[in-house]
């Protein structure tokens, strides 16, 4: 019996449809409808092209001469249209029993699928979101470039205005706040890109105190009455005796709060650059922009700013001009306004403090007019150093401890310390800004009583700068 060979259409006897390649019938080694595996040539031109492309490290799909993409996009520079994920390249052995599985290819993402980055939130939106989510849980903040050089406590105070400053110092002291995964101190400085981990906190909802327009105008007028120098970037105030620079426990009226009345239409509020004690009068620098604040703060850290203080002290020093170099540490580390003590190098919390002093005038052997030039800027540095050399400042409730000493008649029992003069590079031009503050009323009264001339030459200008 003679067996006739099957027709060219395949085992089913069907002829190939016009316009279709015979190679397409063997793609992926799929079985036919009757369950039998398709047969045919082990390789085709398409298989060879795909394997050659894989050996060269290319994507065969981008060099597909048979696909519709090649006809629709003849220009090679045009990226291919996004398509659904294709099956693995066909291998002749894949369709045979016991054959090797097809090699896996990692398809590179198409440029057309990459979405453009969404615009980030504004600084005001970031602060609002941070304040709203502060009580919900732990969050991580990223230091922005214009926040470079800020102290950690100032950074948190700026990001979370509703958080009391004393609470900020508490969480930093307890180690609940981490910077790049490490514990930090309140006076540590931040750099752009650092991550600050903020623990979950509960904020006390502030009671809304309506501020009338008249009160805003009064606060603005009061602040403007204190201005000694002003331009578009900064201003220098003559802070009066008894006015706190920042708020605290039981402190309602302070310079930082009064500056709210000078907030501009763009939402920019003047910012504090440094601090003075509540009972210290004199020059206080205020920045009008964040950039000016960062630049002025760097001037203080680099000791490019020069400060001169005047004080009325008890007794007359034997050395008319001298240098005081000690280490200072808080007697109560948990108290933000604790008394400073002279410590030893290596003691916990001890920082080096350096001050130059010069005697300008004296009243017999009872009182001295001393001029100070601090090189460092430690808490209560001048008050602690004056007490350390045996000549505490008159009216100092923390450091004055001279036995059997009576306050001369006509002199008020108030701290006689004045931030007399400051010279600092301008944040934009770099040229020095030199401003002097007048004596506050209680010190002017003492100067008149003792016969001191405020226009007298101050020998502290000849003291070293470091």
């Amino acid at each position: 019996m003679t067996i006739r060979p099957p027709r060219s259409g395949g085992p089913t006897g069907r002829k190939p449809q016009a316009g279709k390649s015979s190679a397409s019938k063997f793609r992926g080694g799929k079985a036919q409808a009757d369950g039998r595996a398709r047969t045919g040539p082990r390789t085709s031109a398409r298989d060879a092209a795909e394997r050659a492309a894989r050996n060269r490290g290319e994507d065969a799909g981008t060099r597909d001469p048979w696909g519709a993409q090649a006809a629709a996009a003849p220009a090679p520079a045009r990226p291919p249209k996004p398509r659904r994920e294709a099956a693995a390249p066909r291998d002749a052995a894949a369709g045979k029993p016991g054959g090797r599985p097809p090699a896996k290819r990692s398809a590179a993402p198409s440029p057309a699928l990459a979405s453009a980055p969404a615009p980030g939130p504004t600084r005001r939106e970031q602060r609002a979101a941070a304040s709203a989510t502060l009580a919900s849980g732990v969050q991580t903040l990223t230091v922005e470039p214009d926040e470079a050089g800020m102290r950690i406590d100032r950074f948190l105070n700026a990001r979370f205005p509703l958080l009391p400053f004393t609470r900020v110092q508490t969480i930093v002291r307890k180690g609940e706040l981490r910077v790049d995964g490490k514990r930090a101190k309140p006076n540590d400085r931040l750099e752009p890109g650092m991550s600050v981990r903020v623990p979950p906190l509960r904020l006390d909802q502030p009671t809304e105190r309506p501020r009338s327009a008249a009160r805003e105008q009064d606060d603005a007028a009061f602040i403007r009455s204190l201005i000694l120098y002003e331009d578009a970037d900064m201003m220098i105030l003559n802070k009066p005796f008894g006015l706190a620079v920042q708020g605290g426990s039981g402190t309602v009226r302070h310079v930082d709060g009064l500056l709210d009345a000078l907030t501009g239409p763009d939402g920019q509020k003047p910012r504090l650059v440094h601090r003075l004690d509540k009972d210290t009068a004199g020059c206080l620098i205020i920045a009008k922009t964040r950039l000016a604040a960062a630049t002025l703060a760097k001037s203080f850290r680099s000791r490019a700013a020069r400060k001169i203080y005047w004080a009325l002290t008890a007794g007359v020093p034997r050395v008319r001009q001298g240098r005081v170099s000690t280490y200072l540490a808080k007697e109560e580390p948990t108290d933000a306004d604790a008394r400073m003590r002279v410590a030893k190098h290596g003691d916990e919390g001890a920082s080096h403090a350096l001050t130059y002093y010069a005697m300008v005038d004296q009243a017999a052997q009872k009182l001295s007019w001393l001029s100070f030039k601090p090189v460092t800027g430690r808490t209560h540095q001048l008050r602690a150093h004056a007490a350390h050399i045996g000549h505490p400042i008159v009216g100092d409730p923390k450091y004055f401890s001279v036995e059997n000493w009576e306050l001369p008649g006509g002199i008020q029992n108030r701290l006689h310390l004045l931030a007399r003069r400051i010279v600092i590079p301008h944040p934009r031009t770099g040229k020095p800004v030199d401003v002097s503050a007048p004596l506050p009323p209680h010190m002017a009264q003492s100067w008149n009583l003792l016969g001191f001339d405020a226009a007298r030459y101050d020998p502290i200008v000849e003291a070293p700068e470091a």
Side-chain angles (χ1 to χ4, degrees), residues 161-397:
L162 299 181
L163 189 65
F165 190 71
T166 54
R167 185 90 62 86
V168 171
Q169 293 181 324
T170 299
I171 64 175
V172 175
R173 185 181 67 253
K174 291 183 177 180
E176 298 176 359
L177 183 139
R178 300 297 178 100
V179 177
D180 287 343
K182 301 178 181 179
R183 296 185 62 169
K185 298 179 181 179
N187 58 350
D188 286 351
R189 304 287 177 172
L190 296 175
E191 296 298 334
M194 286 185 171
S195 61
V196 181
R197 177 188 177 276
V198 180
L201 299 172
R202 179 178 294 275
L203 288 178
D204 299 331
Q205 294 299 328
T207 57
E208 292 294 335
R209 292 183 300 171
R211 294 179 60 89
S212 62
R215 181 176 178 181
E216 292 283 349
Q217 293 178 359
D218 291 343
D219 290 347
F222 174 72
I223 287 292
R224 294 196 177 280
S225 69
L226 305 178
I227 294 177
L228 298 172
Y229 171 86
E230 183 180 20
D231 58 26
D233 302 291
M234 60 181 290
M235 57 184 175
I236 300 179
L237 305 181
N238 179 23
K239 190 191 84 66
F241 167 87
L243 178 62
V245 173
Q246 287 181 309
S249 178
T251 302
V252 177
R253 184 177 174 84
H254 47 84
V255 175
D256 193 28
L258 295 172
L259 291 175
D260 291 335
L262 299 182
T263 302
D266 57 350
Q268 285 274 6
K269 172 192 170 183
R271 297 171 174 85
L272 297 170
V273 176
H274 65 123
R275 292 182 297 171
L276 294 176
D277 294 339
K278 179 180 179 181
D279 292 340
T280 301
C283 297
L284 179 67
I285 298 181
I286 306 295
K288 290 188 174 182
T289 64
R290 181 177 292 277
L291 179 61
T295 306
L296 292 170
K298 289 181 180 179
S299 297
F300 277 97
R301 291 197 306 273
S302 63
R303 299 178 184 176
R306 298 290 181 259
K307 297 172 288 184
I308 293 177
Y309 289 75
W310 283 358
L312 184 66
T313 63
V316 177
R318 291 186 300 174
V319 180
R320 298 181 64 88
Q321 297 187 25
R323 173 179 180 270
V324 185
S325 177
T326 66
Y327 284 85
L328 297 178
K330 289 184 178 181
E331 291 184 346
E332 297 291 339
T334 59
D335 187 0
D337 196 35
R339 189 177 185 272
M340 304 297 291
R341 62 177 177 86
V342 176
K344 297 180 180 179
H345 177 58
D347 289 355
E348 183 178 1
S351 300
H352 180 248
L354 176 61
T355 304
Y356 289 93
Y357 75 89
M359 190 178 71
V360 183
D361 205 346
Q362 68 183 81
Q365 293 296 317
K366 187 73 172 180
L367 297 168
S368 295
W369 168 10
L370 295 187
S371 184
F372 294 99
K373 180 187 287 186
V375 178
T376 56
R378 311 305 177 196
T379 303
H380 300 170
Q381 174 175 323
L382 301 182
R383 299 162 64 181
H385 276 177
H388 177 67
I389 63 176
H391 303 284
I393 300 175
V394 172
D396 192 340

Side-chain angles (χ1 to χ4, degrees), residues 15 31 58 87 92 123 132 160 168 193 213 228 246 276 284 369-370 398 406 408 422 427 429:
K15 294 182 179 181
E58 301 177 355
R123 177 57 55 80
F160 306 109
V168 171
L228 298 172
Q246 287 181 309
L276 294 176
L284 179 67
W369 168 10
L370 295 187
K398 288 183 178 292
E406 294 182 0
I422 190 164
T429 65

Side-chain angles (χ1 to χ4, degrees), residues 35-48:
R36 293 178 299 165
R38 289 181 177 178
T39 60
R42 294 181 57 85
T43 62
S44 65
R46 180 166 187 153
D47 297 330

Side-chain angles (χ1 to χ4, degrees), residues 430-444:
K431 296 181 179 180
V433 177
D434 188 351
V435 178
S436 297
L439 291 167
H442 69 284
M443 291 183 66

Side-chain angles (χ1 to χ4, degrees), residues 59 61-62 69 73 78-86 108-114:
D59 187 358
T62 60
Q69 301 175 14
R78 183 176 178 180
K81 297 180 181 179
R83 56 182 179 178
R84 290 177 294 181
E85 184 177 357
S110 174
L113 300 179

